[in-house]
Amino acid sequence: MGQTSVQNLLFVELFYSLAFTIFESGFALFSMRKLSLNVTNTSFILTYVGILVAFTQGFLIRPVSKRFSETNILKLALPSELVLLSIYSFSSQLSILLLILSPLSIVSALSSVSIASMVSKSVPREKVGGTLGIFNSVDGLTRIVSPILSGLIIQNLGPSFKGPIEGAFLFVSLLMFFRYFSQ
């Protein structure tokens, strides 16, 4: 992979990160407005999601990445995430939400590690740190605008629209990934 691949991955990451930072930054407001959950219940849900992500990144990613390339992981994970992220906000019960968030947490953890791995493999060893720093900066920039976007979506359109809009950003990421990395 060359310079063009890094640039393409940067755009994949931009829209991927935007989708998930909108999800993260507005989840508490979503759960309060949509499911009437209190702060304690919301914190338990986010803890559960965090445990699944940590477990996946700590224990599942190594055997999965030994068996499949990053590209193949993303070919399966990104479409799965698109569906799950697009529908979670229609959940009318906590049990349904948890049923959707469980696989979403796992595939998003696989995706984020796979994208970072593709980035690190796309540049010479001496440029990995700087390149990953740029990717982390993109994530940081999305974290600036995401709370505003999430609040605007919930306030003006309603909590059920949150998932489809996040899904739209993820869809752009998925299209870019398949266009540039799915030969």
Side-chain angles (χ1 to χ4, degrees):
M1 283 198 230
Q3 180 71 15
T4 302
S5 294
V6 172
Q7 290 171 349
N8 293 337
L9 276 171
L10 184 64
F11 285 109
V12 168
E13 175 66 14
L14 172 68
F15 289 98
Y16 182 85
S17 184
L18 196 54
F20 277 95
T21 56
I22 291 172
F23 169 79
E24 294 168 354
S25 66
F27 186 80
L29 184 58
F30 159 80
S31 67
M32 181 179 71
R33 292 268 179 98
K34 179 73 179 194
L35 299 172
S36 300
L37 298 177
N38 62 29
V39 174
T40 302
N41 289 333
T42 300
S43 67
F44 285 136
I45 294 168
L46 292 174
T47 300
Y48 170 71
V49 166
I51 289 169
L52 287 175
V53 169
F55 176 78
T56 301
Q57 290 180 347
F59 298 101
L60 291 182
I61 192 68
R62 180 166 282 139
V64 170
S65 64
K66 283 185 179 183
R67 186 158 186 197
F68 303 101
S69 70
E70 292 89 356
T71 303
N72 286 334
I73 291 169
L74 289 166
K75 283 180 184 178
L76 179 62
L78 288 174
S80 301
E81 287 173 88
L82 175 61
V83 171
L84 295 165
L85 192 63
S86 296
I87 66 169
Y88 85 90
S89 65
F90 295 109
S91 302
S92 58
Q93 299 173 7
L94 178 58
S95 58
I96 294 170
L97 179 64
L98 291 173
L99 196 64
I100 295 168
L101 289 182
S102 298
L104 179 60
S105 301
I106 293 167
V107 293
S108 68
L110 290 171
S111 290
S112 62
V113 171
S114 296
I115 292 170
S117 179
M118 286 180 73
V119 170
S120 67
K121 291 178 178 179
S122 66
V123 295
R125 179 175 223 119
E126 63 275 1
K127 294 187 178 194
V128 170
T131 305
L132 286 174
I134 291 168
F135 274 76
N136 286 334
S137 296
V138 166
D139 183 61
L141 288 173
T142 64
R143 290 184 186 281
I144 293 169
V145 299
S146 291
I148 297 164
L149 291 174
S150 187
L152 288 171
I153 293 165
I154 292 171
Q155 181 67 35
N156 296 311
L157 301 174
S160 294
F161 284 90
K162 202 165 161 326
I165 292 172
E166 294 157 358
F169 285 115
L170 189 58
F171 183 69
V172 173
S173 179
L174 176 122
L175 286 177
M176 295 175 97
F177 172 78
F178 275 97
R179 178 170 183 205
Y180 296 115
F181 300 102
S182 182
Q183 284 78 1

